[in-house]
Amino acid sequence: MTVLLVDLGNTALKWSVLGSEEEPKTVVHRAQSHFKKDLYAAWLALNPTRVVGCTVAAPALAFSATKFFNDHRIPWEWVRPQKVFESDEVVLENRYANPMQLGADRWHAALGAVHAAPGESLLVVHTGTATTVDSIEMTAPGRYAFAGGRIAPGITLMQKGLFEGIPTLPDAMGEATDLPKSTADAVVTGLIDAQVGLIVRAKHVFERTAGRPVRVIMAGGAAAYLAPHLRQEVPDLLVHHNLVLRGLAARAAQKEEKENHR
């Protein structure tokens, strides 16, 4: 059996088959569709038995993919968040006020994180179009709770808003420094500090409320850029990509397990 995993985000689509989620294929789409013919041919060649996907953006692309699956009679599921995920290894409780309102990408990134870094309370940072910072508390061995989280513009969106709001700023991007002495350097440093400050603040608050140390785990398109700066404040930072796909893999494996026990 071949289970296709699909993570459709705001600017990129990642996919893999179950068991290979650490080595996904990536298509940067930016809401365009020129890549669909080659992508669908690659999917069809896999002869998938079913699809487990997560989509929070690009509805036209999600509709197109769904039509493709239907046309080829491939069972599909665009998964949603859950009140609780439970397997033999992990239990993750959703403590959002309205559990179904939580973004499916944030839920599955959290699920992927507890599989990637078990045995710790985690601050799960995903750096994409938006930066999300979610608190995952370990309540007992193998048991976790999505305790809450934060959403802010990602660094690219923050930069775009700054330049659009203040047209007189120079277009050239500078370098991050401790004491910026040019406007270009000041902009870059301010953008990075805003992201790092958000994460560090969330970590301090979570550690205070949880009463225990918290490990920061980061993923997403801007992770490689932000990680060196964040490590100055959080030396034990863990960068682990493809958390959403890892969470989708856990969901797919959970369903396989249930069907095998019928």
Side-chain angles (χ1 to χ4, degrees), residues 14-218:
K14 289 188 175 184
W15 65 274
S16 72
V17 297
L18 182 61
S20 299
E21 53 272 8
E22 295 300 325
E23 299 176 351
K25 305 290 192 301
T26 301
V27 177
V28 178
H29 60 77
R30 294 189 176 89
Q32 302 301 309
S33 60
H34 59 279
F35 59 88
K36 289 193 299 183
K37 182 177 179 181
D38 291 341
L39 176 66
Y40 293 167
W43 284 353
L44 200 58
L46 294 172
N47 192 28
T49 51
R50 65 189 179 97
V51 178
V52 177
C54 173
T55 175
V56 294
L61 294 179
F63 178 82
S64 174
T66 301
K67 184 178 184 304
F68 167 78
F69 300 141
N70 286 336
D71 288 347
H72 294 278
R73 299 181 180 179
I74 303 169
W76 57 269
E77 180 184 11
W78 294 115
V79 293
R80 302 180 65 199
Q82 305 159 284
K83 291 184 178 179
V84 62
F85 170 90
E86 188 169 1
S87 70
D88 291 341
E89 296 82 23
V90 166
V91 175
L92 177 61
E93 176 191 355
N94 187 341
R95 291 184 180 171
Y96 230 50
N98 178 352
M100 294 302 103
Q101 193 180 58
L102 177 62
D105 55 341
R106 293 170 65 197
W107 173 251
H108 289 91
L111 186 55
V114 299
H115 282 85
E120 301 179 85
S121 289
L122 299 169
L123 194 71
V124 181
V125 179
H126 210 272
T127 61
T129 303
T131 296
T132 58
V133 185
D134 293 319
S135 301
I136 314 303
E137 183 177 2
M138 187 181 76
T139 57
R143 301 186 70 90
Y144 304 85
F146 189 106
R150 293 162 170 79
I151 304 174
I155 191 166
T156 301
L157 198 58
M158 207 174 267
Q159 174 191 336
K160 180 181 178 183
L162 186 63
F163 286 163
E164 288 180 353
I166 309 176
T168 56
L169 284 174
D171 292 336
M173 292 295 287
E175 296 182 2
T177 65
D178 289 339
L179 295 171
K181 293 180 175 62
S182 72
T183 302
D185 289 353
V187 167
V188 172
T189 305
L191 293 172
I192 291 171
D193 285 357
Q195 298 285 314
V196 171
L198 166 70
I199 298 162
V200 171
R201 162 71 175 164
K203 180 177 187 290
H204 288 167
V205 171
F206 188 21
E207 288 179 332
R208 184 171 69 242
T209 57
R212 69 180 69 183
V214 169
R215 183 74 177 270
V216 181
I217 180 169
M218 173 182 269

